Amino acid sequence: MLRHLVISLMSLISESYTALADHDNPVKSRTHEIIDDFYLLISKYATQERSVYFYAEKLHLTPQYLSTFLKQKTGKSILQWIDYVTLMHAKTLLKSTSLSIKQISNQLNFDEPSVFCRFFKRLSGTSPGVFRNRP
């Protein structure tokens, strides 16, 4: 249920961004279209798919073009976006559920809890357990 709430929130943010883009320019540029479509895809699939190829294929672009495009237009690479959204899901699950770190790791499709813990610490600067217990 929490996962769906997070996805819904991200979709609302994406829709707000789209509404702003549409308000300024009634004809959506290809740039905005790609970014909007990417945001929708990543909000839906980030916990399941971490492959650049997956998102590029869904957007009918080459992985290299999508990576370069996103870096130029948003300041973040596609892998940074995937990591960011996955980290936000992880933080939400850690703070709002009583799931074990192993269960969260499985839910976010990490092969091993240790891989999830290294991922989380690398991006947040703290371990999942310490993050969860922090007020």
Side-chain angles (χ1 to χ4, degrees), residues 3-135:
R3 181 174 167 206
H4 295 289
L5 289 173
V6 170
I7 291 170
S8 296
L9 176 62
M10 292 179 74
S11 294
L12 287 172
I13 292 169
S14 178
E15 288 171 14
S16 296
Y17 172 80
T18 303
L20 286 174
D22 290 343
H23 179 71
D24 294 340
N25 183 2
V27 177
K28 190 190 270 189
S29 71
R30 178 69 176 138
T31 297
H32 285 116
E33 187 178 314
I34 292 171
I35 292 171
D36 290 347
D37 290 347
F38 173 72
Y39 285 159
L40 289 172
L41 283 172
I42 199 164
S43 66
K44 185 174 181 180
Y45 294 108
T47 60
Q48 301 159 3
E49 291 290 338
R50 292 192 189 87
S51 162
V52 175
Y53 179 80
F54 171 82
Y55 295 98
E57 184 177 278
K58 289 280 189 190
L59 294 169
H60 308 289
L61 302 169
T62 66
Q64 181 61 40
Y65 178 80
L66 181 59
S67 296
T68 304
F69 175 85
L70 284 173
K71 183 71 174 176
Q72 288 175 347
K73 302 299 181 186
T74 68
K76 287 185 182 181
S77 71
I78 189 169
L79 292 176
Q80 287 172 316
W81 277 111
I82 293 167
D83 286 350
Y84 175 76
V85 172
T86 303
L87 181 65
M88 292 301 104
H89 281 291
K91 285 181 173 183
T92 302
L93 290 170
L94 286 165
K95 287 291 189 176
S96 62
T97 69
S98 60
L99 294 173
S100 70
I101 291 174
K102 181 178 180 179
Q103 289 170 315
I104 292 171
S105 170
N106 288 338
Q107 191 166 345
L108 296 175
N109 292 314
F110 283 88
D111 293 334
E112 296 288 330
S114 61
V115 174
F116 168 70
C117 290
R118 282 193 305 273
F119 164 84
F120 192 91
K121 186 163 187 165
R122 178 175 52 89
L123 293 177
S124 70
T126 186
S127 70
V130 170
F131 178 82
R132 172 177 266 169
N133 294 324
R134 194 183 297 160

